[in-house]
Coordinates of all heavy atoms in Angstrom, one line a residue:
M1 N 0.8 -1.2 0.0 CA 0.0 0.0 0.0 C 0.9 1.2 0.0 O 1.8 1.4 0.8 CB -0.9 0.0 1.2 CG -1.8 1.2 1.3 SD -3.0 1.0 2.7 CE -2.7 2.6 3.5
T2 N 0.6 2.2 -0.9 CA 1.3 3.4 -1.0 C 0.7 4.4 0.1 O -0.5 4.4 0.3 CB 1.1 4.1 -2.4 OG1 1.5 3.1 -3.3 CG2 1.9 5.3 -2.5
T3 N 1.6 5.1 0.8 CA 1.1 6.1 1.7 C 0.6 7.3 1.0 O 1.3 7.9 0.2 CB 2.3 6.5 2.7 OG1 2.8 5.3 3.3 CG2 1.8 7.4 3.8
L4 N -0.6 7.6 1.3 CA -1.3 8.8 0.7 C -1.4 9.9 1.7 O -1.8 9.6 2.9 CB -2.7 8.4 0.1 CG -2.7 7.4 -1.0 CD1 -4.1 7.0 -1.4 CD2 -2.1 8.0 -2.3
E5 N -1.2 11.1 1.3 CA -1.5 12.2 2.2 C -3.0 12.6 2.1 O -3.4 13.1 1.0 CB -0.6 13.4 1.9 CG -0.7 14.5 2.9 CD 0.3 15.6 2.7 OE1 1.5 15.2 2.4 OE2 0.0 16.7 2.9
I6 N -3.7 12.4 3.1 CA -5.2 12.7 3.1 C -5.4 14.0 3.8 O -4.9 14.3 4.9 CB -6.0 11.6 3.8 CG1 -5.7 10.2 3.2 CG2 -7.5 11.9 3.8 CD1 -6.1 10.1 1.7
T7 N -6.2 14.9 3.1 CA -6.6 16.2 3.7 C -8.1 16.1 3.9 O -8.9 15.7 3.1 CB -6.3 17.3 2.7 OG1 -4.9 17.3 2.4 CG2 -6.6 18.6 3.3
D8 N -8.5 16.5 5.1 CA -9.9 16.6 5.4 C -10.3 18.1 5.2 O -10.1 19.0 6.0 CB -10.2 16.3 6.9 CG -11.7 16.4 7.3 OD1 -12.5 16.7 6.4 OD2 -12.0 16.1 8.5
N9 N -11.0 18.3 4.0 CA -11.4 19.6 3.7 C -12.8 19.8 4.3 O -13.8 19.4 3.6 CB -11.5 19.8 2.1 CG -11.9 21.2 1.7 OD1 -12.6 21.9 2.4 ND2 -11.4 21.5 0.5
S10 N -12.9 20.2 5.5 CA -14.2 20.3 6.2 C -15.1 21.3 5.6 O -16.3 21.2 5.7 CB -13.9 20.6 7.7 OG -13.2 21.8 7.9
F11 N -14.6 22.4 5.0 CA -15.4 23.4 4.3 C -16.2 22.7 3.2 O -17.4 23.0 3.1 CB -14.6 24.5 3.8 CG -15.4 25.6 3.1 CD1 -16.2 26.5 3.9 CD2 -15.4 25.7 1.7 CE1 -17.0 27.4 3.3 CE2 -16.2 26.7 1.1 CZ -17.0 27.6 1.9
L12 N -15.6 21.9 2.4 CA -16.3 21.3 1.3 C -16.8 19.9 1.7 O -17.4 19.2 0.9 CB -15.4 21.1 0.0 CG -14.9 22.4 -0.6 CD1 -14.0 22.2 -1.8 CD2 -16.2 23.2 -1.2
R13 N -16.5 19.5 2.9 CA -16.9 18.2 3.4 C -16.5 17.0 2.5 O -17.3 16.3 2.0 CB -18.4 18.1 3.7 CG -18.9 19.0 4.8 CD -20.3 18.8 5.2 NE -21.2 18.7 4.1 CZ -22.1 19.6 3.7 NH1 -22.2 20.7 4.4 NH2 -22.9 19.4 2.7
Q14 N -15.1 17.0 2.4 CA -14.6 15.9 1.6 C -13.1 15.6 2.0 O -12.4 16.5 2.4 CB -14.6 16.2 0.1 CG -13.8 17.4 -0.3 CD -14.1 17.9 -1.8 OE1 -15.2 17.6 -2.3 NE2 -13.2 18.6 -2.4
F15 N -12.8 14.3 1.9 CA -11.4 13.9 2.1 C -10.8 13.9 0.7 O -11.3 13.5 -0.2 CB -11.3 12.5 2.7 CG -11.9 12.4 4.1 CD1 -13.1 11.9 4.3 CD2 -11.1 12.8 5.2 CE1 -13.6 11.8 5.6 CE2 -11.6 12.7 6.5 CZ -12.8 12.2 6.7
E16 N -9.5 14.5 0.7 CA -8.9 14.7 -0.6 C -7.5 14.2 -0.6 O -6.8 14.1 0.4 CB -8.8 16.2 -0.9 CG -10.1 16.9 -0.8 CD -9.9 18.5 -0.9 OE1 -8.8 19.0 -0.6 OE2 -10.9 19.1 -1.3
T17 N -7.0 13.8 -1.8 CA -5.6 13.5 -2.0 C -5.3 13.9 -3.5 O -6.2 13.9 -4.3 CB -5.2 12.1 -1.8 OG1 -3.8 12.0 -1.8 CG2 -5.8 11.1 -2.8
T18 N -4.1 14.4 -3.8 CA -3.8 14.8 -5.1 C -2.7 13.8 -5.6 O -1.7 13.6 -4.9 CB -3.2 16.2 -5.1 OG1 -4.3 17.1 -4.5 CG2 -2.9 16.7 -6.5
V19 N -2.9 13.4 -6.8 CA -2.0 12.5 -7.5 C -1.6 13.1 -8.9 O -2.6 13.3 -9.7 CB -2.5 11.0 -7.7 CG1 -1.6 10.2 -8.4 CG2 -2.9 10.5 -6.4
N20 N -0.4 13.4 -9.1 CA 0.1 14.0 -10.4 C -0.8 15.2 -10.8 O -1.2 15.4 -11.9 CB 0.1 13.0 -11.5 CG 1.1 11.9 -11.2 OD1 2.1 12.1 -10.5 ND2 0.8 10.7 -11.6
G21 N -1.2 16.0 -9.8 CA -2.0 17.2 -10.1 C -3.5 17.0 -10.2 O -4.2 17.9 -10.5
H22 N -3.9 15.7 -10.0 CA -5.4 15.4 -10.1 C -5.9 15.1 -8.7 O -5.4 14.4 -8.0 CB -5.6 14.2 -11.0 CG -5.1 14.5 -12.4 ND1 -5.7 15.3 -13.3 CD2 -4.0 14.1 -13.1 CE1 -5.1 15.3 -14.5 NE2 -4.0 14.6 -14.3
L23 N -7.1 15.7 -8.4 CA -7.7 15.6 -7.1 C -8.7 14.4 -7.1 O -9.6 14.4 -7.9 CB -8.5 16.9 -6.8 CG -9.2 16.9 -5.5 CD1 -8.2 17.0 -4.3 CD2 -10.1 18.1 -5.4
A24 N -8.4 13.5 -6.2 CA -9.4 12.4 -5.9 C -10.0 12.8 -4.5 O -9.4 13.4 -3.7 CB -8.7 11.1 -5.8
K25 N -11.3 12.5 -4.4 CA -12.0 12.9 -3.2 C -13.1 11.9 -2.8 O -13.6 11.1 -3.6 CB -12.6 14.3 -3.4 CG -13.7 14.3 -4.5 CD -14.1 15.8 -4.7 CE -15.1 15.8 -5.8 NZ -15.6 17.2 -6.1
I26 N -13.4 11.9 -1.5 CA -14.5 11.1 -1.0 C -15.4 12.2 -0.2 O -14.9 12.8 0.7 CB -14.1 10.0 -0.1 CG1 -13.4 8.9 -0.8 CG2 -15.3 9.4 0.7 CD1 -12.9 7.7 0.0
E27 N -16.6 12.4 -0.7 CA -17.4 13.4 -0.1 C -18.1 12.7 1.1 O -18.4 11.5 1.1 CB -18.5 13.9 -1.1 CG -17.9 14.6 -2.3 CD -18.9 15.0 -3.3 OE1 -20.1 14.8 -3.2 OE2 -18.4 15.5 -4.4
Y28 N -18.4 13.6 2.1 CA -19.0 13.0 3.3 C -19.9 14.0 4.0 O -19.9 15.2 3.7 CB -17.9 12.6 4.3 CG -17.1 13.7 5.0 CD1 -17.6 14.3 6.1 CD2 -15.9 14.2 4.4 CE1 -16.9 15.4 6.7 CE2 -15.2 15.2 5.0 CZ -15.7 15.8 6.2 OH -15.0 16.8 6.7
S29 N -20.7 13.5 4.9 CA -21.4 14.4 5.8 C -21.2 13.7 7.2 O -20.9 12.6 7.3 CB -22.9 14.5 5.5 OG -23.5 13.2 5.6
S30 N -21.3 14.5 8.3 CA -21.1 14.0 9.6 C -22.2 14.4 10.5 O -22.8 15.4 10.4 CB -19.7 14.4 10.1 OG -19.7 15.8 10.2
Q31 N -22.5 13.5 11.5 CA -23.5 13.7 12.4 C -23.3 12.8 13.6 O -23.1 11.6 13.4 CB -24.9 13.4 11.7 CG -26.1 13.4 12.7 CD -27.3 13.0 11.9 OE1 -27.3 12.5 10.8 NE2 -28.4 13.1 12.6
E32 N -23.3 13.3 14.8 CA -23.2 12.6 16.0 C -22.1 11.5 16.0 O -22.4 10.3 16.2 CB -24.6 11.9 16.3 CG -25.7 12.9 16.6 CD -27.0 12.2 16.7 OE1 -27.1 11.0 16.8 OE2 -28.0 12.9 16.8
R33 N -20.9 11.9 15.8 CA -19.7 11.0 15.8 C -19.8 9.9 14.7 O -19.1 8.9 14.8 CB -19.5 10.4 17.2 CG -19.4 11.5 18.2 CD -18.5 11.3 19.4 NE -17.3 10.5 19.2 CZ -16.1 11.0 18.9 NH1 -16.0 12.3 18.6 NH2 -15.1 10.3 18.8
K34 N -20.6 10.2 13.7 CA -20.6 9.3 12.5 C -20.3 10.1 11.3 O -20.6 11.2 11.1 CB -22.0 8.7 12.3 CG -22.5 7.8 13.4 CD -23.8 7.2 13.1 CE -24.6 6.8 14.3 NZ -25.4 7.8 14.8
V35 N -19.5 9.4 10.4 CA -19.2 10.0 9.1 C -19.8 9.2 8.0 O -19.6 8.0 7.9 CB -17.6 10.0 8.9 CG1 -17.3 10.6 7.6 CG2 -16.9 10.8 10.0
F36 N -20.7 9.8 7.3 CA -21.4 9.2 6.2 C -20.6 9.4 4.9 O -20.5 10.6 4.4 CB -22.8 9.8 6.0 CG -23.7 9.5 7.2 CD1 -23.6 10.3 8.4 CD2 -24.7 8.5 7.1 CE1 -24.4 10.0 9.4 CE2 -25.5 8.2 8.2 CZ -25.4 9.0 9.4
L37 N -20.0 8.4 4.3 CA -19.2 8.5 3.1 C -20.2 8.4 1.9 O -20.7 7.3 1.6 CB -18.1 7.5 3.1 CG -17.2 7.5 4.3 CD1 -16.1 6.4 4.2 CD2 -16.4 8.8 4.3
T38 N -20.4 9.5 1.3 CA -21.5 9.6 0.3 C -21.1 9.4 -1.2 O -21.9 9.0 -2.0 CB -22.3 10.9 0.4 OG1 -21.3 12.0 0.3 CG2 -22.9 11.0 1.8
K39 N -19.9 9.8 -1.5 CA -19.5 9.8 -2.9 C -18.0 9.7 -3.1 O -17.2 10.4 -2.5 CB -20.0 11.0 -3.6 CG -19.8 11.1 -5.1 CD -20.4 12.3 -5.7 CE -20.3 12.3 -7.2 NZ -20.8 13.6 -7.8
L40 N -17.6 8.7 -4.0 CA -16.2 8.6 -4.3 C -15.9 9.1 -5.7 O -16.6 8.7 -6.6 CB -15.8 7.1 -4.2 CG -14.4 6.6 -4.7 CD1 -13.3 7.2 -3.8 CD2 -14.3 5.1 -4.8
V41 N -15.0 10.0 -5.8 CA -14.7 10.6 -7.1 C -13.2 10.5 -7.4 O -12.3 11.0 -6.7 CB -15.0 12.1 -7.2 CG1 -14.7 12.7 -8.5 CG2 -16.5 12.3 -6.8
I42 N -12.8 9.6 -8.4 CA -11.4 9.5 -8.8 C -11.4 9.8 -10.3 O -12.0 9.2 -11.1 CB -11.0 8.0 -8.6 CG1 -11.1 7.7 -7.1 CG2 -9.6 7.8 -9.1 CD1 -10.8 6.2 -6.8
P43 N -10.5 10.8 -10.6 CA -10.4 11.3 -12.0 C -9.9 10.1 -12.9 O -9.1 9.3 -12.4 CB -9.4 12.4 -12.0 CG -9.4 12.9 -10.6 CD -9.7 11.7 -9.7
E44 N -10.3 10.1 -14.2 CA -9.8 9.1 -15.1 C -8.3 9.1 -15.3 O -7.7 8.1 -15.6 CB -10.5 9.3 -16.5 CG -12.0 9.1 -16.5 CD -12.6 9.4 -17.9 OE1 -11.8 9.7 -18.8 OE2 -13.8 9.3 -18.0
E45 N -7.7 10.3 -15.0 CA -6.3 10.4 -15.2 C -5.5 9.6 -14.2 O -4.3 9.3 -14.4 CB -5.8 11.9 -15.1 CG -6.3 12.7 -16.3 CD -7.7 13.2 -16.0 OE1 -8.3 13.0 -15.0 OE2 -8.2 13.9 -17.0
I46 N -6.1 9.2 -13.0 CA -5.4 8.4 -12.0 C -5.7 7.0 -12.4 O -6.8 6.5 -12.1 CB -5.9 8.8 -10.6 CG1 -5.7 10.3 -10.3 CG2 -5.2 7.9 -9.6 CD1 -6.2 10.7 -9.0
T47 N -4.8 6.3 -13.0 CA -5.0 5.0 -13.5 C -4.2 3.9 -12.7 O -4.2 2.8 -13.0 CB -4.6 4.9 -15.0 OG1 -3.2 5.3 -15.1 CG2 -5.5 5.8 -15.8
K48 N -3.5 4.4 -11.7 CA -2.6 3.5 -10.9 C -3.4 2.3 -10.3 O -4.4 2.5 -9.7 CB -1.9 4.3 -9.8 CG -0.9 3.5 -9.1 CD -0.2 4.4 -8.0 CE 0.2 3.5 -6.9 NZ 0.0 4.1 -5.6
E49 N -2.8 1.1 -10.5 CA -3.4 -0.1 -10.0 C -3.6 -0.1 -8.5 O -2.6 0.3 -7.8 CB -2.5 -1.3 -10.4 CG -3.1 -2.6 -10.0 CD -4.1 -3.2 -10.9 OE1 -4.2 -2.8 -12.1 OE2 -5.0 -3.9 -10.4
G50 N -4.8 -0.3 -8.0 CA -5.0 -0.4 -6.6 C -5.2 1.0 -5.9 O -5.3 1.0 -4.7
F51 N -5.2 2.0 -6.7 CA -5.3 3.4 -6.0 C -6.6 3.5 -5.3 O -6.6 4.0 -4.1 CB -5.2 4.5 -7.1 CG -5.5 5.8 -6.5 CD1 -4.6 6.5 -5.7 CD2 -6.8 6.4 -6.6 CE1 -4.9 7.7 -5.2 CE2 -7.1 7.6 -6.1 CZ -6.1 8.3 -5.3
K52 N -7.7 3.1 -5.9 CA -9.0 3.2 -5.2 C -9.0 2.6 -3.8 O -9.4 3.2 -2.8 CB -10.1 2.6 -6.1 CG -11.5 2.8 -5.4 CD -12.6 2.3 -6.4 CE -12.9 0.9 -6.3 NZ -14.1 0.4 -7.0
E53 N -8.5 1.3 -3.7 CA -8.5 0.6 -2.4 C -7.5 1.3 -1.5 O -7.9 1.5 -0.3 CB -8.0 -0.8 -2.7 CG -9.0 -1.7 -3.3 CD -9.1 -1.5 -4.9 OE1 -8.1 -0.9 -5.4 OE2 -10.1 -1.9 -5.5
D54 N -6.4 1.8 -1.9 CA -5.4 2.5 -1.1 C -6.1 3.8 -0.5 O -5.9 4.2 0.6 CB -4.1 2.8 -1.8 CG -3.3 1.6 -2.1 OD1 -3.6 0.5 -1.5 OD2 -2.3 1.7 -2.9
F55 N -6.8 4.5 -1.4 CA -7.4 5.8 -1.0 C -8.5 5.5 0.0 O -8.6 6.2 1.1 CB -8.0 6.5 -2.3 CG -8.6 7.8 -2.0 CD1 -8.1 8.7 -1.1 CD2 -9.7 8.2 -2.7 CE1 -8.6 10.0 -0.9 CE2 -10.3 9.4 -2.5 CZ -9.8 10.3 -1.6
I56 N -9.4 4.5 -0.2 CA -10.4 4.2 0.8 C -9.8 3.8 2.1 O -10.3 4.3 3.2 CB -11.4 3.2 0.2 CG1 -12.2 3.7 -1.0 CG2 -12.4 2.7 1.3 CD1 -13.0 2.6 -1.8
K57 N -8.8 3.0 2.1 CA -8.1 2.5 3.3 C -7.6 3.7 4.1 O -7.7 3.8 5.3 CB -7.0 1.6 3.0 CG -7.4 0.2 2.7 CD -6.2 -0.7 2.4 CE -6.7 -2.0 1.8 NZ -5.5 -2.9 1.5
A58 N -6.9 4.6 3.4 CA -6.3 5.8 4.0 C -7.4 6.7 4.7 O -7.2 7.2 5.8 CB -5.5 6.6 3.0
V59 N -8.5 6.9 4.0 CA -9.6 7.7 4.6 C -10.2 7.0 5.8 O -10.4 7.6 6.8 CB -10.7 8.0 3.5 CG1 -11.9 8.5 4.1 CG2 -10.1 8.9 2.5
L60 N -10.4 5.6 5.7 CA -11.0 4.9 6.8 C -10.0 5.0 8.0 O -10.4 5.1 9.2 CB -11.2 3.5 6.4 CG -12.4 3.2 5.5 CD1 -12.5 1.8 5.0 CD2 -13.7 3.7 6.1
N61 N -8.7 4.9 7.8 CA -7.7 5.0 8.9 C -7.8 6.4 9.5 O -7.7 6.5 10.7 CB -6.3 4.7 8.3 CG -6.1 3.2 8.0 OD1 -6.9 2.4 8.5 ND2 -5.2 2.9 7.1
E62 N -7.9 7.4 8.7 CA -8.1 8.8 9.2 C -9.3 8.9 10.1 O -9.3 9.5 11.2 CB -8.2 9.7 8.0 CG -8.4 11.2 8.4 CD -7.1 11.9 8.6 OE1 -6.0 11.4 8.2 OE2 -7.1 13.0 9.2
I63 N -10.4 8.3 9.7 CA -11.7 8.3 10.5 C -11.5 7.6 11.8 O -11.9 8.0 12.8 CB -12.8 7.8 9.6 CG1 -13.1 8.7 8.5 CG2 -14.1 7.6 10.5 CD1 -14.1 8.1 7.4
Q64 N -10.8 6.4 11.7 CA -10.6 5.5 12.8 C -9.7 6.2 13.9 O -10.0 6.1 15.1 CB -10.0 4.2 12.4 CG -10.0 3.1 13.4 CD -9.6 1.8 12.7 OE1 -8.7 1.7 11.9 NE2 -10.3 0.7 13.1
E65 N -8.7 7.0 13.4 CA -7.8 7.7 14.3 C -8.6 8.7 15.2 O -8.2 9.1 16.3 CB -6.7 8.4 13.6 CG -5.6 7.5 13.0 CD -4.6 8.2 12.2 OE1 -4.6 9.4 12.2 OE2 -3.9 7.4 11.5
N66 N -9.7 9.2 14.6 CA -10.5 10.2 15.3 C -11.6 9.5 16.1 O -12.6 10.2 16.6 CB -11.1 11.2 14.3 CG -10.0 12.1 13.8 OD1 -9.2 12.7 14.5 ND2 -9.9 12.2 12.5
N67 N -11.6 8.2 16.2 CA -12.6 7.5 17.0 C -14.0 7.7 16.6 O -14.9 7.9 17.4 CB -12.4 7.7 18.5 CG -11.1 7.2 19.0 OD1 -10.7 6.1 18.7 ND2 -10.5 8.0 19.9
L68 N -14.2 7.8 15.3 CA -15.5 8.0 14.7 C -16.1 6.7 14.1 O -15.3 5.9 13.7 CB -15.5 9.1 13.7 CG -15.1 10.5 14.2 CD1 -14.9 11.5 13.0 CD2 -16.0 11.1 15.2
R69 N -17.3 6.7 13.9 CA -18.0 5.5 13.2 C -18.2 5.9 11.7 O -18.2 7.1 11.4 CB -19.3 5.2 13.8 CG -19.2 4.7 15.2 CD -18.7 3.4 15.3 NE -18.6 2.9 16.6 CZ -17.8 1.8 17.0 NH1 -17.1 1.2 16.1 NH2 -17.8 1.4 18.2
V70 N -18.3 4.9 10.9 CA -18.4 5.2 9.4 C -19.7 4.5 8.9 O -20.0 3.4 9.3 CB -17.2 4.8 8.6 CG1 -17.0 3.3 8.7 CG2 -17.2 5.3 7.2
V71 N -20.4 5.3 8.1 CA -21.6 4.8 7.4 C -21.4 4.9 5.9 O -21.4 6.1 5.4 CB -22.9 5.5 7.8 CG1 -24.1 4.9 7.1 CG2 -23.1 5.4 9.4
P72 N -21.1 3.9 5.2 CA -20.9 4.0 3.8 C -22.1 4.0 2.9 O -22.8 3.0 2.8 CB -20.0 2.7 3.4 CG -20.5 1.7 4.4 CD -20.9 2.5 5.7
T73 N -22.5 5.2 2.4 CA -23.7 5.3 1.6 C -23.3 5.2 0.1 O -24.2 5.0 -0.7 CB -24.5 6.6 1.8 OG1 -23.7 7.7 1.6 CG2 -25.0 6.6 3.3
S74 N -22.0 5.3 -0.2 CA -21.6 5.1 -1.6 C -21.5 3.6 -1.9 O -20.8 2.9 -1.1 CB -20.2 5.8 -1.7 OG -19.5 5.2 -2.9
P75 N -22.0 3.1 -3.0 CA -22.0 1.7 -3.3 C -20.5 1.2 -3.4 O -20.2 0.1 -3.0 CB -22.7 1.6 -4.6 CG -23.6 2.8 -4.7 CD -22.9 3.9 -3.9
Q76 N -19.6 2.0 -3.9 CA -18.2 1.6 -4.1 C -17.6 1.4 -2.7 O -16.8 0.4 -2.5 CB -17.4 2.6 -4.9 CG -17.9 2.7 -6.4 CD -17.2 3.8 -7.1 OE1 -17.3 5.0 -6.7 NE2 -16.4 3.5 -8.1
I77 N -17.8 2.3 -1.8 CA -17.2 2.2 -0.5 C -17.9 1.1 0.3 O -17.2 0.3 1.0 CB -17.3 3.5 0.2 CG1 -16.5 4.6 -0.5 CG2 -16.8 3.4 1.7 CD1 -16.7 6.0 -0.1
A78 N -19.2 0.9 0.2 CA -19.8 -0.2 0.9 C -19.3 -1.6 0.4 O -19.1 -2.5 1.1 CB -21.4 -0.1 0.6
G79 N -19.1 -1.7 -0.9 CA -18.5 -2.9 -1.5 C -17.1 -3.1 -1.0 O -16.7 -4.3 -0.7
F80 N -16.3 -2.1 -0.8 CA -15.0 -2.2 -0.3 C -15.1 -2.8 1.2 O -14.3 -3.7 1.5 CB -14.2 -0.9 -0.3 CG -12.9 -0.9 0.4 CD1 -11.8 -1.4 -0.3 CD2 -12.8 -0.6 1.8 CE1 -10.6 -1.4 0.4 CE2 -11.6 -0.7 2.4 CZ -10.4 -1.1 1.7
L81 N -16.0 -2.2 2.0 CA -16.1 -2.7 3.4 C -16.6 -4.2 3.4 O -16.2 -4.9 4.3 CB -17.1 -1.8 4.1 CG -16.5 -0.5 4.6 CD1 -17.6 0.5 5.1 CD2 -15.4 -0.6 5.6
R82 N -17.4 -4.5 2.5 CA -17.9 -5.9 2.4 C -16.7 -6.9 2.2 O -16.7 -8.0 2.8 CB -18.9 -6.1 1.3 CG -20.3 -6.3 1.8 CD -21.3 -6.6 0.6 NE -22.3 -5.5 0.6 CZ -22.3 -4.5 -0.3 NH1 -21.5 -4.5 -1.3 NH2 -23.2 -3.5 -0.2
K83 N -15.8 -6.5 1.4 CA -14.6 -7.3 1.0 C -13.5 -7.2 2.1 O -12.7 -8.1 2.2 CB -14.0 -6.9 -0.3 CG -14.9 -7.2 -1.5 CD -14.3 -6.7 -2.7 CE -15.2 -6.7 -3.9 NZ -14.8 -5.9 -5.0
N84 N -13.5 -6.2 2.9 CA -12.5 -6.0 3.9 C -13.1 -5.9 5.3 O -13.3 -4.8 5.8 CB -11.7 -4.7 3.6 CG -11.0 -4.8 2.3 OD1 -9.8 -5.2 2.2 ND2 -11.6 -4.3 1.2
R85 N -13.4 -7.0 5.8 CA -14.2 -7.1 7.0 C -13.4 -6.6 8.3 O -14.0 -6.4 9.3 CB -14.5 -8.6 7.3 CG -15.4 -9.2 6.2 CD -16.6 -8.5 5.8 NE -17.6 -8.7 6.8 CZ -18.8 -8.0 6.8 NH1 -19.1 -7.2 5.8 NH2 -19.7 -8.2 7.7
Q86 N -12.1 -6.3 8.1 CA -11.4 -5.8 9.3 C -11.9 -4.4 9.7 O -11.6 -3.9 10.8 CB -9.9 -5.7 9.0 CG -9.4 -4.7 8.0 CD -9.3 -5.3 6.6 OE1 -10.0 -6.2 6.2 NE2 -8.4 -4.7 5.8
Y87 N -12.6 -3.7 8.8 CA -13.2 -2.4 9.1 C -14.6 -2.5 9.6 O -15.2 -1.5 9.9 CB -13.2 -1.5 7.8 CG -11.8 -1.2 7.3 CD1 -11.2 -1.8 6.2 CD2 -11.0 -0.3 8.0 CE1 -9.9 -1.5 5.8 CE2 -9.7 0.0 7.6 CZ -9.2 -0.6 6.5 OH -7.9 -0.3 6.1
K88 N -15.1 -3.7 9.8 CA -16.5 -3.9 10.3 C -16.8 -3.2 11.6 O -17.9 -2.7 11.8 CB -16.8 -5.4 10.3 CG -18.2 -5.7 10.7 CD -18.5 -7.2 10.7 CE -19.9 -7.4 11.2 NZ -20.2 -8.8 11.3
E89 N -15.8 -3.2 12.5 CA -16.0 -2.6 13.8 C -16.2 -1.1 13.8 O -16.6 -0.5 14.7 CB -14.8 -3.0 14.8 CG -13.5 -2.2 14.5 CD -12.7 -2.9 13.4 OE1 -13.0 -3.9 12.9 OE2 -11.6 -2.3 13.1
M90 N -15.9 -0.5 12.6 CA -16.1 1.0 12.5 C -17.6 1.3 12.2 O -18.0 2.5 12.3 CB -15.3 1.5 11.3 CG -13.8 1.5 11.7 SD -12.8 2.1 10.3 CE -13.3 3.9 10.4
L91 N -18.4 0.3 11.8 CA -19.8 0.5 11.6 C -20.6 0.8 12.9 O -20.3 0.1 13.9 CB -20.4 -0.7 10.8 CG -19.9 -1.0 9.5 CD1 -20.4 -2.3 9.0 CD2 -20.2 0.1 8.5
P92 N -21.5 1.7 12.9 CA -22.3 1.9 14.1 C -23.2 0.7 14.4 O -23.5 -0.1 13.5 CB -23.2 3.1 13.7 CG -22.6 3.7 12.5 CD -21.9 2.6 11.8
V93 N -23.6 0.5 15.6 CA -24.5 -0.6 16.0 C -25.7 -0.5 15.1 O -26.3 0.5 14.9 CB -24.8 -0.5 17.5 CG1 -25.9 -1.5 17.9 CG2 -23.6 -0.6 18.4
G94 N -26.1 -1.7 14.6 CA -27.3 -1.8 13.8 C -27.2 -1.6 12.3 O -28.1 -1.8 11.6
I95 N -26.0 -1.1 11.9 CA -25.7 -0.9 10.5 C -25.0 -2.2 9.9 O -24.0 -2.6 10.4 CB -24.8 0.3 10.2 CG1 -25.5 1.6 10.8 CG2 -24.5 0.4 8.7 CD1 -26.7 2.0 10.0
R96 N -25.6 -2.7 8.9 CA -25.0 -3.9 8.2 C -24.9 -3.6 6.7 O -25.7 -2.9 6.2 CB -25.9 -5.1 8.4 CG -26.0 -5.5 9.8 CD -26.4 -7.0 9.9 NE -26.2 -7.3 11.3 CZ -26.9 -8.3 11.9 NH1 -27.8 -9.0 11.2 NH2 -26.7 -8.6 13.1
I97 N -23.8 -4.1 6.2 CA -23.6 -4.0 4.7 C -23.4 -5.3 4.1 O -23.1 -6.3 4.7 CB -22.4 -3.0 4.5 CG1 -21.1 -3.5 5.1 CG2 -22.7 -1.6 4.9 CD1 -19.9 -2.9 4.6

């Protein structure tokens, strides 16, 4: 896994990283110590193998460091969590994917 520098742009409510001048982002909303990951946007110019998984992992680690819960409303992020069960404990009680 490549180490990505993740920025939490709280004004635009998105986690961001830049690769070769192109901005990848995961949009979110937050409520009561929960972060709802609503949309994953990766520009076509970022073609690196495994980037999407590395980006999602980096964002989840950032959220985990802040002791927050995650609710994936984006189908791509929900699918990632289904395949990577080690992040299951980040889901709020009663949320299943």
Side-chain angles (χ1 to χ4, degrees):
M1 178 174 132
T2 306
T3 303
L4 295 173
E5 186 173 323
I6 302 298
T7 303
D8 179 1
N9 183 334
S10 58
F11 180 73
L12 294 176
R13 292 189 317 252
Q14 61 192 24
F15 293 101
E16 307 170 335
T17 192
T18 303
V19 177
N20 298 328
H22 299 286
L23 180 70
K25 61 186 178 180
I26 294 178
E27 297 175 4
Y28 71 87
S29 63
S30 57
Q31 175 185 7
E32 298 175 4
R33 305 212 35 87
K34 293 184 205 88
V35 178
F36 295 79
L37 302 177
T38 58
K39 186 176 181 185
L40 172 65
V41 179
I42 298 175
E44 291 177 7
E45 293 84 3
I46 301 176
T47 57
K48 188 176 146 218
E49 182 78 27
F51 172 78
K52 180 172 86 170
E53 289 78 17
D54 289 346
F55 183 38
I56 294 171
K57 283 180 190 175
V59 168
L60 290 174
N61 291 337
E62 179 87 13
I63 293 168
Q64 196 169 37
E65 286 175 14
N66 291 310
N67 294 318
L68 299 172
R69 297 287 181 196
V70 66
V71 180
T73 59
S74 160
Q76 293 174 299
I77 297 170
F80 174 85
L81 283 170
R82 253 184 241 107
K83 292 177 192 166
N84 296 274
R85 302 305 286 176
Q86 71 267 28
Y87 294 104
K88 184 179 178 182
E89 74 275 355
M90 292 181 68
L91 296 171
V93 174
I95 300 292
R96 295 204 170 152
I97 56 166

